């Protein structure tokens, strides 16, 4: 019986103390502030018209920089194209100048020296010396290199191939092109 009384007493004290804890707890209301910011800094009045003008000036300066950049890029491309054309023309002139040094050299089938040279060895030697190109030894194989050009589109420095039937048997270098002749 002592155990029962002790049990009820502990249960009663626990219940009362838990109730007092729950009833004493009160949710407080948050404090409201009259000022939105806690600062002593004074904000300068903003002139929206001036701000729009400054914004437009900034945009205009970016556009001017972009236009200048595009103009510089176009100029660089143009200069590069001119440099390529000059280099190309110098290369073609170098090829024709080298070819002229062979004037008077006898033709010899299968020959590869200035004592006697055939057409494909001539082209091989001239393009190797003047342009640093390594072409095949035989005219038929040389015809497989590069791009095919129509007769009307020939320019100085182009290779021209001749055939008997289907077999290419001769090659030469175009020295000049005269308009209006076929």
């Amino acid at each position: 019986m002592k155990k029962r009384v002790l049990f009820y007493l502990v249960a009663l004290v626990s219940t009362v103390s838990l109730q007092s804890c729950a009833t004493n707890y009160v949710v407080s209301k948050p404090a409201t502030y009259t000022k939105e910011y806690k600062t002593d800094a004074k904000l300068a009045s903003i002139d929206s018209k001036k701000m729009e003008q400054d914004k437009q000036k900034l945009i205009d300066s970016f556009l001017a920089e972009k236009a200048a950049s595009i103009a510089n890029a176009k100029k660089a491309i143009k200069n590069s194209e001119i440099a390529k054309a000059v280099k190309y023309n110098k290369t073609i002139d170098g090829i024709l100048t080298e070819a002229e040094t062979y004037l008077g050299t006898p033709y010899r089938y299968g020959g590869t020296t200035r004592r006697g040279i055939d057409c494909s060895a001539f082209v091989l030697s001239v393009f190797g010396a003047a342009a640093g190109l390594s072409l095949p030894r035989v005219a038929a194989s040389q015809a497989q290199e590069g791009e095919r050009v129509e007769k009307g589109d020939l320019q100085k420095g182009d290779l021209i191939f001749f055939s008997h039937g289907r077999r290419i048997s001769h090659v030469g270098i175009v020295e000049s092109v005269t308009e209006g002749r076929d």
Side-chain angles (χ1 to χ4, degrees), residues 3-122:
K3 285 184 183 179
R4 255 189 194 172
V5 172
L6 186 60
F7 174 74
Y8 286 122
L9 186 60
V10 169
L12 181 65
V13 171
S14 297
T15 305
V16 170
S17 51
L18 284 176
Q19 264 187 345
S20 69
C21 286
T23 56
N24 287 339
Y25 180 75
V26 176
V27 177
S28 64
K29 186 176 179 183
T32 56
Y33 297 103
T34 56
K35 295 181 181 179
E36 193 169 325
Y37 300 104
K38 293 182 180 180
T39 180
D40 292 336
K42 293 182 181 179
L43 296 175
S45 64
I46 298 174
D47 185 4
S48 62
K49 197 176 213 180
K50 176 147 175 42
M51 189 168 72
E52 281 299 317
Q53 289 173 347
D54 291 344
K55 179 180 170 184
Q56 192 58 45
K57 283 180 187 177
L58 185 62
I59 290 171
D60 290 344
S61 72
F62 287 146
L63 291 176
E65 284 180 26
K66 184 177 179 181
S69 178
I70 289 171
N72 286 339
K74 285 181 179 179
K75 186 176 179 180
I77 290 170
K78 183 179 177 183
N79 289 341
S80 174
E81 293 298 321
I82 290 170
K84 284 179 186 177
V86 168
K87 183 178 178 183
Y88 173 77
N89 285 333
K90 284 184 178 181
T91 301
I92 298 301
D93 291 342
I95 288 170
L96 295 177
T97 301
E98 178 67 19
E100 286 176 4
T101 67
Y102 281 84
L103 287 175
T105 303
Y107 179 85
R108 180 174 296 145
Y109 182 77
T112 58
T113 68
R114 290 190 180 258
R115 290 193 320 246
I117 195 165
D118 69 9
C119 61
S120 57
F122 165 71

Side-chain angles (χ1 to χ4, degrees), residues 102-150:
Y102 281 84
L103 287 175
T105 303
Y107 179 85
R108 180 174 296 145
Y109 182 77
T112 58
T113 68
R114 290 190 180 258
R115 290 193 320 246
I117 195 165
D118 69 9
C119 61
S120 57
F122 165 71
V123 168
L124 174 99
S125 297
V126 168
F127 274 78
L133 294 175
S134 177
L135 295 174
R137 170 65 180 88
V138 179
S141 298
Q142 289 175 353
Q144 303 302 314
E145 300 290 317
E147 302 172 9
R148 181 181 176 93
V149 177
E150 294 299 321

